[in-house]
């Protein structure tokens, strides 16, 4: 029987190799005999680590062909708020971000209500095309009150994490996000941006992000490729 400590050590080592790209998405891992010999562990220990990796969605098992690295699908860990950039880095992927729109305009009525500003108050709108390892995955539109994000109006935000830039340039730390997800079909514009067929499935996320003091920081709408993103959450029932 493999010890828990040995299994955990092999698990951590394989996670690091996956993050460094030793086994790219979609590739097959070496056979168990070869892999256990290279790692210097028993096959029972290796199988324990691979089973744990499978439970975490990092590898997949095929009865006929062995172990594989799944195709890239990004997703936030349950109940953990991460930026797109953090999600990519946590999986050893290279995040990209291309700013399509960066302009100050008057807030609409719904935006003003969500951001707790006056109607027509100046807001900064950012439209960005986000990618993983050069593959477009998400198109998002974010709106931030101008008086809270003045340092971002003329900033170079290509390939930058908005959460990080808000913290570093504006002193704003996103603490909580009210987030909803709805399935939809890609229209012609979204399909063109995300390089997918018109009518292909997309996940539309709507967000209101808040600072520690409870003040709204931004509102956003994200369009994710349906074949490249999953949303996870821990759900609880009240006790008593």
């Amino acid at each position: 029987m493999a010890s828990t400590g040995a299994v955990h050590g092999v698990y951590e080592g394989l996670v690091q190799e996956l993050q460094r790209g030793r086994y790219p998405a979609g590739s097959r891992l070496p056979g168990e005999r070869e892999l256990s010999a290279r790692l210097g562990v028993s096959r029972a220990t290796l199988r324990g680590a691979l089973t744990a990796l499978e439970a975490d969605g990092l590898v997949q098992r095929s009865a006929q062909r062995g172990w594989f690295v799944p195709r890239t699908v990004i997703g936030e860990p349950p109940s953990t708020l991460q930026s797109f950039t953090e999600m990519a880095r946590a999986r050893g992927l290279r995040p990209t971000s291309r700013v399509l729109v960066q302009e100050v305009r008057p807030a609409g009525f719904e935006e003003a209500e969500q951001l707790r500003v006056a109607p027509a108050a100046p807001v900064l709108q950012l439209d960005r095309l986000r990618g993983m390892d050069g593959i477009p995955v998400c198109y998002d539109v974010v709106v931030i009150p101008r008086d809270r994000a003045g340092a971002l109006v003329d900033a170079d935000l290509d390939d930058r994490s908005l959460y990080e830039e808000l913290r570093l340039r504006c002193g704003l730390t996103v603490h909580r996000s009210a987030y909803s997800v709805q399935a939809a079909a890609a229209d012609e514009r979204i399909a063109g941006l995300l390089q997918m067929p018109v009518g292909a499935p997309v996940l539309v996320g709507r967000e209101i992000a808040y600072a520690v003091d409870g003040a709204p920081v931004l509102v956003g709408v994200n369009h994710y490729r349906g074949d490249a993103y999953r949303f996870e959450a821990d759900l609880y029932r009240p006790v008593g």
Side-chain angles (χ1 to χ4, degrees), residues 33-58:
R33 179 176 299 177
E34 177 185 345
L35 195 54
S36 61
R38 181 174 70 78
L39 297 174
V41 298
S42 69
R43 292 182 69 175
T45 297
L46 175 66
R47 284 174 183 164
L50 289 171
T51 299
L53 288 168
E54 182 181 32
D56 290 342
L58 299 177

Side-chain angles (χ1 to χ4, degrees), residues 28 31-32 43 47 50 54 59-68:
R28 179 179 179 273
E32 290 185 4
R43 292 182 69 175
R47 284 174 183 164
L50 289 171
E54 182 181 32
V59 298
Q60 292 177 337
R61 174 170 26 195
S62 168
Q64 290 76 32
R65 302 183 60 198
W67 295 89
F68 290 82

Side-chain angles (χ1 to χ4, degrees), residues 36-229:
S36 61
R38 181 174 70 78
L39 297 174
V41 298
S42 69
R43 292 182 69 175
T45 297
L46 175 66
R47 284 174 183 164
L50 289 171
T51 299
L53 288 168
E54 182 181 32
D56 290 342
L58 299 177
V59 298
Q60 292 177 337
R61 174 170 26 195
S62 168
Q64 290 76 32
R65 302 183 60 198
W67 295 89
F68 290 82
V69 182
R71 296 287 180 184
T72 300
V73 176
I74 64 171
E76 299 168 66
S79 302
T80 299
L81 176 60
Q82 287 188 322
S83 70
F84 185 95
T85 299
E86 289 166 338
M87 281 192 288
R89 290 173 179 167
R91 289 154 179 78
L93 303 173
R94 178 177 58 87
T96 58
S97 176
R98 179 162 59 93
V99 177
L100 306 179
V101 173
Q102 186 172 358
E103 65 179 15
V104 175
R105 60 164 176 79
F109 282 106
E110 184 177 1
E111 293 168 339
E113 182 177 358
Q114 292 170 329
L115 293 170
R116 302 178 195 167
V117 298
V123 293
L124 172 65
Q125 177 177 327
L126 294 172
D127 297 12
R128 297 175 298 162
L129 184 61
R130 319 298 300 278
M132 299 280 188
D133 286 349
I135 299 173
V137 170
C138 173
Y139 169 67
D140 69 23
V141 177
V142 173
V143 177
I144 314 168
R146 168 67 173 77
D147 63 359
R148 305 199 76 184
L152 300 185
V153 171
D154 297 314
D156 180 2
L157 299 177
D158 281 346
D159 295 330
R160 305 291 178 90
S161 165
L162 182 57
Y163 281 14
E164 290 180 7
E165 295 301 305
L166 282 167
R167 180 176 59 84
L168 294 173
R169 295 176 183 265
C170 307
L172 293 173
T173 298
V174 175
H175 173 66
R176 179 176 68 89
S177 175
Y179 198 79
S180 65
V181 182
Q182 180 179 355
D187 60 23
E188 187 173 356
R189 181 167 183 268
I190 296 297
L193 288 168
L194 297 180
Q195 298 179 13
M196 59 195 308
V198 174
V202 291
L203 291 175
V204 182
R206 301 183 185 278
E207 172 186 25
I208 306 177
Y210 299 87
V212 176
D213 62 4
V217 175
L218 62 85
V219 296
V221 179
N222 324 117
H223 288 79
Y224 285 95
R225 288 181 57 132
D227 60 353
Y229 178 77

